Amino acid sequence: MVPPAGNGQNHDAADAYAYDAAAVRAKMSQTAASGEPRVVFLTFDDGVNTTMTPRMLATLKQYGVHATFFVVGNTITPPTAPILRQEFAEGHAIGTHSFDHVYTTLYPGRQGSTAAIVKEAADGVRALQSVLGTGYYPKVWRYPGGHMSWQNLAGADAALRQMNLTWMDWNAAVGDALGAA
């Protein structure tokens, strides 16, 4: 999949507060310099959902906060399409988080499958574009399970760069997806 001419856009309204995904990922691996302002990026995975996503959007709106939603393509359906449009209209970033989110397809034997990852990324982008328009391009991808969880991803990372997608992990979690201790 090739991004639209000009690499597409992922948001007009966010210019005042948006950050480049590659710069954010690089910054996450560095220690903040003394006196450097701290920035928090809220991210939500695995939607779009007709129950929880509207509640999250209402809370974010109440506090004037923006977030990035990493959307699984197969959750985009006629009932969820208006919610996805609302995320975009309210100025939130939207990234792709695969189409099916199936670990055994993406990482057979815990090894990344470049072909499967590229297909899932492309299918996820197409699903987003089916609702947000062909000029929309997410520019950011989150590996299901996180980049840090799998092996042999260099080929997939390079292929994602060719698709103008920057992979983004997280460096803090609330614990809901971390399993029992």
Side-chain angles (χ1 to χ4, degrees):
M1 161 167 256
V2 177
N7 294 331
Q9 64 168 18
N10 62 359
H11 225 291
D12 286 334
D15 287 345
Y17 54 84
Y19 289 77
D20 176 73
V24 171
R25 194 179 85 218
K27 194 69 169 162
M28 286 174 61
S29 64
Q30 301 170 355
T31 303
S34 178
E36 184 178 3
R38 308 257 177 175
V39 179
V40 173
F41 296 93
L42 293 177
T43 64
F44 300 98
D45 294 0
D46 303 340
V48 65
N49 170 300
T50 58
T51 304
M52 292 307 298
T53 307
R55 292 174 60 193
M56 290 186 289
L57 289 170
T59 300
L60 292 167
K61 189 173 195 171
Q62 176 184 352
Y63 291 100
V65 174
H66 292 95
T68 300
F69 289 86
F70 287 96
V71 176
V72 175
N74 69 12
T75 68
I76 301 172
T77 62
T80 64
I83 300 166
L84 183 63
R85 284 188 204 96
Q86 180 184 353
E87 286 177 6
F88 185 77
E90 291 181 1
H92 301 286
I94 301 169
T96 185
H97 191 43
S98 77
F99 187 82
D100 289 317
H101 202 285
V102 177
Y103 291 172
T104 55
T105 300
L106 295 163
Y107 321 110
R110 299 193 56 81
Q111 301 287 318
S113 166
T114 298
I117 290 165
V118 166
K119 181 181 182 328
E120 287 283 306
D123 290 350
V125 169
R126 276 191 287 278
L128 289 168
Q129 290 176 333
S130 74
V131 172
L132 299 176
T134 57
Y136 176 81
Y137 200 78
K139 298 186 181 179
V140 66
W141 153 272
R142 178 165 282 165
Y143 282 97
H147 191 279
M148 79 290 273
S149 301
W150 312 105
Q151 301 169 6
N152 194 34
L153 294 176
D157 292 347
L160 291 169
R161 275 192 304 277
Q162 289 296 110
M163 296 170 67
N164 197 33
L165 290 170
T166 299
W167 66 264
M168 182 72 60
D169 266 355
W170 58 90
N171 62 359
V174 297
D176 65 320
L178 300 179

